[in-house]
Amino acid sequence: MCNVCGCGDSHIEGHHHSHGDDHHHDTAHHHQHPHVAPETQQPVVIHHHYYHQGDVHHHVHYDASSAASLPSSTHNHEHEVHHVHGDHHQPEKMQHGDLHYGKGEAQVHVAGVSQRQLLTLEQDILGNNNHQAAHNREHFSAGGQLVLNLVSSPGSGKTTLLTETIQLLKNDHLCAVIEGDQQTSNDADRIRATGVPAVQVNTGKGCHLDAQMVHDACHQLDLQESGIVFIENVGNLVCPASFDLGEDSKVVILSVTEGEDKPLKYPNMFAASSLMIINKTDLLPYVDFDIERCIENARKVNPNIQVIKLSVKNGEGMEAWTSWLKGLLAEKVSRL
């Protein structure tokens, strides 16, 4: 996982979050969930420091930019990194002369941070995230909502696919969207133009959505009956693979303008996904893309992955995709 992504603030429309006077040292985090009518779509900026959150274990740490100002790792200097457990601040000594630069157990390098600290941070972040994801999943299951986490590289055609999918489903099924991007509300605006509610989550420096962001965004959606919630994640095939959002399935979207070796280059994402959509098939005559080789590569890392080939432009595969969604939704509702 990326150990420095998410250090920046994220902004969620319609949600207000306030900390104590000193949010780096207070263990109490105060949430306020105003009842904002979805049709007003008035953005209220929320600031989150997700790496500082968690029900029990909070971290105060520095990101890559602040780490760059630390002394060179060739000098044996000590710095304190504070771990906050309950009301107690426990400084931990860090030896710069003992850094492994990505060759240790954490398998990544952040300047000025030891492998042991990175591994501990990763475990705590994912542990807190998974706890929140389990809560999200219980909430969605109780309401009969089918939740899909749409993941891909930038430019794969996620938003265009999503808007067309909504047009085909919205008359018969409740649909809602949580839209993730680093900046702008462009994609959420496109979703709202279909008449379906959407909440924009801007992750700032963060390169993925996490379970807390999804939890907070859901407070802005009126999910009073069963339906489909689409989470359009930030365009990135790396970090979103590690973060459970409480979804029923990840759906990875790969366009034919990308290489057929993408599943081998980014195996964690394809291993975590239930379905691979091969998008923009109308462009196959114009690109050098071996579609069968792509499917073969995906099944090398995930033998059970399902595959749908489609084109939003000419409609190929759209019926198979919507039938897949309706089948999952019916199964979810049958368990209520």
Side-chain angles (χ1 to χ4, degrees):
M1 67 168 282
C2 176
N3 287 279
V4 294
C5 65
C7 292
D9 292 345
S10 67
H11 301 164
I12 301 177
E13 289 178 336
H15 180 90
H16 177 71
H17 176 92
S18 62
H19 292 283
D21 292 335
D22 185 353
H23 64 266
H24 289 280
H25 298 291
D26 287 349
T27 56
H29 286 68
H30 307 284
H31 292 264
Q32 299 177 10
H33 303 288
H35 297 283
V36 180
E39 62 270 16
T40 65
Q41 302 292 350
Q42 292 299 317
V44 178
V45 174
I46 172 174
H47 296 272
H48 284 288
H49 301 273
Y50 284 99
Y51 277 16
H52 302 158
Q53 287 196 333
D55 293 335
V56 177
H57 192 175
H58 300 240
H59 285 271
V60 178
H61 70 292
Y62 46 79
D63 62 16
S65 61
S66 59
S69 65
L70 293 174
S72 168
S73 60
T74 57
H75 298 89
N76 191 20
H77 294 287
E78 292 184 349
H79 293 268
E80 290 185 353
V81 175
H82 290 273
H83 295 256
V84 183
H85 299 266
D87 295 326
H88 303 287
H89 296 254
Q90 300 179 358
E92 175 185 330
K93 295 297 183 181
M94 177 178 78
Q95 295 288 340
H96 279 268
D98 191 34
L99 301 181
H100 297 290
Y101 294 100
K103 297 180 181 180
E105 55 190 345
Q107 297 298 310
V108 295
H109 164 57
V110 176
V113 185
S114 72
Q115 291 285 295
R116 179 169 58 84
Q117 289 168 332
L118 286 173
L119 188 62
T120 299
L121 180 61
E122 177 177 345
Q123 290 171 339
D124 288 336
I125 291 167
L126 291 180
N128 288 333
N129 182 82
N130 291 342
H131 178 76
Q132 181 63 60
H135 169 77
N136 292 352
R137 188 169 284 108
E138 291 177 3
H139 175 77
F140 292 134
S141 294
Q145 281 97 33
L146 172 68
V147 183
L148 285 308
N149 183 2
L150 307 184
V151 293
S152 76
S153 301
S156 68
K158 285 197 304 299
T159 308
T160 300
L161 172 62
L162 189 49
T163 55
E164 183 62 26
T165 300
I166 288 169
Q167 295 287 11
L168 295 172
L169 294 175
K170 67 178 184 179
N171 292 332
D172 299 313
H173 303 282
L174 174 71
C175 296
V177 177
I178 297 171
E179 183 65 49
D181 280 302
Q182 288 192 310
Q183 298 293 340
T184 81
S185 62
N186 294 351
D187 288 349
D189 292 340
R190 291 173 62 187
I191 300 298
R192 291 174 189 138
T194 69
V196 164
V199 174
Q200 181 72 56
V201 181
N202 289 134
T203 61
K205 294 180 181 178
C207 55
H208 60 86
L209 297 177
D210 66 22
Q212 185 67 50
M213 297 178 192
V214 170
H215 168 268
D216 294 341
C218 282
H219 279 272
Q220 311 311 316
L221 296 171
D222 187 19
L223 303 178
Q224 299 297 322
E225 58 185 275
S226 63
I228 305 176
V229 179
F230 296 97
I231 302 171
E232 185 174 354
N233 219 313
V234 179
N236 179 3
L237 283 177
V238 183
C239 295
S242 299
F243 284 80
D244 182 6
L245 305 180
E247 72 270 21
D248 292 284
S249 297
K250 284 184 174 67
V251 176
V252 61
I253 301 165
L254 175 68
S255 75
V256 301
T257 57
E258 304 173 65
E260 62 262 19
D261 61 346
K262 270 286 178 68
L264 301 180
K265 295 170 71 174
Y266 302 93
N268 291 344
M269 181 60 78
F270 289 84
S273 298
S274 301
L275 173 69
M276 175 176 70
I277 290 178
I278 300 179
N279 196 20
K280 303 183 183 181
T281 55
D282 56 287
L283 296 178
L284 279 171
Y286 311 104
V287 296
D288 185 14
F289 183 87
D290 188 332
I291 200 165
E292 295 307 319
R293 177 70 62 84
C294 179
I295 296 171
E296 178 185 341
N297 288 337
R299 288 183 171 150
K300 284 180 181 178
V301 299
N302 183 355
N304 298 317
I305 197 168
Q306 300 178 63
V307 179
I308 294 176
K309 297 172 276 188
L310 63 77
S311 165
V312 175
K313 185 173 182 179
N314 63 27
E316 176 191 2
M318 290 299 294
E319 183 177 354
W321 163 233
T322 55
S323 295
W324 186 85
L325 291 169
K326 291 175 184 178
L328 286 184
L329 178 59
E331 181 180 342
K332 188 80 178 273
V333 171
S334 70
R335 296 198 292 268
L336 289 176

